Amino acid sequence: MQEKLIYLFSAVAVGWAVTFALRLLPFGLFARSSRKTQTSLAKFGEIVSPVVIGGLIVYSFSTLKLDGAPAWRTFWPYLAVALTVALHLLFRNSLASIAGGTVFYMLLVGFLGCTSLPSSIEFDARNPVVRISGAGVTFAGQFVAPEKVPRLLRHYDIPLERTIHIHISGGLHDLRPARQLMAILCRAGYRRPVLVTERTARSEAVKPDTGKFVRPPVEPRRKVYR
Amino acid sequence: MPGRKKRIVIARRAFVDTLPVMAGYSTMGFAAGVLMAVAGDVPMAPFWAGLCALAFVSGTLSFAIVPAIQSGMGLAGIALLALSINFRYAFYGVSMVESWRGMPFFRKWFLIHSLADEIYALDVSCRLPNVHDRRFYSLCNHAFNFFYWVAGTTAGGIAGASLKLPSKGIEFAMTALFTVIFTDQIKYLCRKN
């Protein structure tokens, strides 16, 4: 708690120091420079700021999340951005454009339940599945080296206490890579990695529309190795 | 400092000029406060939202610092973020250097501290002939807008922390803000060239 407060205070202090220093800059540094230098500086600023703001749009896209998964892979944020730009070009009222775009996005993801693209529905942050097949390890549709799986899970904000299914494809009879992966996850602090074979995994499928975890029937549970 | 009667006239004029900004600042501040409050792992969110508003006087940074704090970004990263976001403020002062020269220390520092986009635009568009009148106008303008911003953000923080607002997707407000600024800048550059 105390560490957190110190961190927050120092974050605000750093932000303030940098911002204030930037504002102070012309009064100290350029106060005595010639008018020509000042106009060229102002011109430089005019060109630099759209570039910076463009970069910030990309940054803010990377922070958008939908149920723990990055939202830039879906097209809802792009729709909302398009609406924001259209509103702004039409009415030239910043407040209306920002509010319109944000409310539209909130409606999309909050009330209309637009979460992810149909193609990526297999990834659900509440029920993460790491798949092992003869070709290698995949998570959320992408191939990943076994030792990099914890980092990927952290990237998707999956908490340590969540059950992580290590799904072994039907063709794979060697359990050693799966057990190695389990050890890697345990070492990284994930408390509940579970090995699942093809059959149990199918019975433990997640309902895509609700995202709810369906309890498997008792029978295939014998196939789960802990 | 102009005479008492004139001060009242200038202050009233500044207040009328800041009314449109009041609408923008208080709502954007409210959104920033709500964002900070629903981020979850920030204790005493209204306080922090208010402090951020007070310290930065920069809506963009108030928005952008929330995911940074949430992900535990290092202080160097936050410094870099602030630097890139508020880089444009380094050019606002250039046109103010002359008219603010020789002002009393605290007033000048307050004016510099609260030099943000809309406030700057009002400062520049002020057409009062006397430099002392202009300074007093700037002071009123900065004070009013500063107050709207801090009050809006704190209110948003309180609302976000105490009410169960539908907050899913509200983090898009930051993207929308950047998009609007970007569109404005591109439009400005296109019109100029």
Side-chain angles (χ1 to χ4, degrees):
Chain A
M1 184 67 187
Q2 205 176 5
E3 264 174 36
K4 179 102 195 168
L5 287 183
I6 290 171
Y7 170 71
L8 285 172
F9 256 119
S10 40
V12 174
V14 165
W16 169 77
V18 171
T19 313
F20 190 67
L22 281 171
R23 282 175 176 143
L24 200 58
L25 207 60
F27 294 88
L29 201 63
F30 313 134
R32 280 182 189 77
S33 54
S34 66
R35 190 143 286 252
K36 206 176 152 197
T37 328
Q38 292 188 351
T39 32
S40 51
L41 269 171
K43 259 188 197 152
F44 176 65
E46 267 173 23
I47 295 168
V48 164
S49 38
V51 177
V52 168
I53 298 292
L56 284 174
I57 295 178
V58 176
Y59 165 74
S60 71
F61 255 74
S62 74
T63 63
L64 288 179
K65 293 260 167 82
L66 278 181
D67 299 323
W72 58 266
R73 291 172 177 224
T74 67
F75 40 63
W76 318 125
Y78 302 98
L79 273 182
V81 163
L83 181 78
T84 312
V85 172
L87 281 176
H88 199 59
L89 292 180
L90 275 178
F91 300 110
R92 289 173 204 173
N93 181 341
S94 316
L95 191 62
S97 331
I98 294 170
T102 309
V103 168
F104 178 66
Y105 183 75
M106 287 171 76
L107 277 178
L108 279 180
V109 304
F111 296 100
L112 301 182
C114 302
T115 48
S116 49
L117 292 175
S119 60
S120 61
I121 221 158
E122 61 188 319
F123 174 62
D124 177 359
R126 274 167 287 190
N127 202 33
V129 181
V130 184
R131 289 164 200 281
I132 296 188
S133 66
V137 182
T138 58
F139 179 68
Q142 51 186 316
F143 276 99
V144 56
E147 61 275 10
K148 289 197 178 148
V149 170
R151 204 206 287 172
L152 197 61
L153 292 175
R154 267 199 301 277
H155 174 76
Y156 285 111
D157 285 341
I158 289 163
L160 292 173
E161 63 275 3
R162 187 144 301 168
T163 309
I164 291 153
H165 293 239
I166 301 172
H167 173 281
I168 305 154
S169 95
L172 201 67
H173 298 294
D174 188 7
L175 284 183
R176 270 175 298 176
R179 285 183 188 269
Q180 273 166 13
L181 180 60
M182 197 149 136
I184 289 169
L185 285 177
C186 288
R187 245 176 281 136
Y190 286 93
R191 278 173 230 137
R192 283 152 71 185
V194 177
L195 290 188
V196 193
T197 61
E198 191 101 282
R199 221 178 108 205
T200 42
R202 209 172 286 137
S203 66
E204 288 180 357
V206 175
K207 272 192 185 166
D209 49 338
T210 57
K212 278 205 181 107
F213 183 71
V214 185
R215 282 243 155 253
V218 184
E219 183 62 22
R221 277 236 145 181
R222 276 179 289 155
K223 291 275 185 182
V224 176
Y225 306 92
R226 288 206 184 252
Chain B
M1 195 67 108
R4 189 164 176 274
K5 247 185 185 163
K6 197 145 196 203
R7 277 203 307 249
I8 294 176
V9 172
I10 295 175
R12 194 175 290 162
R13 182 164 164 183
F15 178 67
V16 174
D17 286 350
T18 56
L19 278 178
V21 186
M22 180 207 252
Y25 267 27
S26 47
T27 20
M28 282 312 292
F30 195 84
V34 171
L35 189 66
M36 179 69 104
V38 300
D41 47 337
V42 180
M44 300 181 292
F47 167 73
W48 288 107
L51 193 69
C52 279
L54 209 70
F56 305 152
V57 205
S58 150
T60 337
L61 188 56
S62 280
F63 273 98
I65 203 155
V66 174
I69 285 176
Q70 232 179 339
S71 63
M73 190 189 263
L75 294 182
I78 288 174
L80 199 65
L81 190 70
L83 187 71
S84 55
I85 288 177
N86 290 334
F87 195 63
R88 61 185 190 286
Y89 290 156
F91 304 98
Y92 286 178
V94 172
S95 46
M96 294 298 160
V97 171
E98 283 308 315
S99 65
W100 291 355
R101 182 162 288 165
M103 277 186 82
F105 183 81
F106 280 113
R107 281 183 216 162
K108 186 168 176 178
W109 278 61
F110 170 67
L111 287 184
I112 296 175
H113 170 77
S114 56
L115 190 62
D117 304 283
E118 286 86 346
I119 303 179
Y120 167 76
L122 282 181
D123 274 352
V124 170
S125 63
C126 170
R127 292 266 174 269
L128 290 171
N130 186 334
V131 73
H132 294 282
D133 292 354
R134 267 209 308 274
R135 283 179 189 175
F136 187 70
Y137 177 87
S138 289
L139 268 178
C140 295
N141 167 24
H142 283 236
F144 285 139
N145 284 323
F146 187 64
F147 173 73
Y148 304 149
W149 176 246
V150 175
T153 315
T154 314
I158 293 170
S162 53
L163 306 175
K164 270 268 160 268
L165 296 175
S167 63
K168 195 176 173 190
I170 198 165
E171 65 275 12
F172 186 80
M174 181 167 72
T175 314
L177 174 71
F178 291 149
T179 309
V180 164
I181 296 176
F182 188 69
T183 318
D184 272 341
Q185 281 172 339
I186 295 292
K187 239 167 62 180
Y188 175 71
L189 279 182
C190 289
R191 205 181 303 139
K192 230 181 121 196
N193 296 329

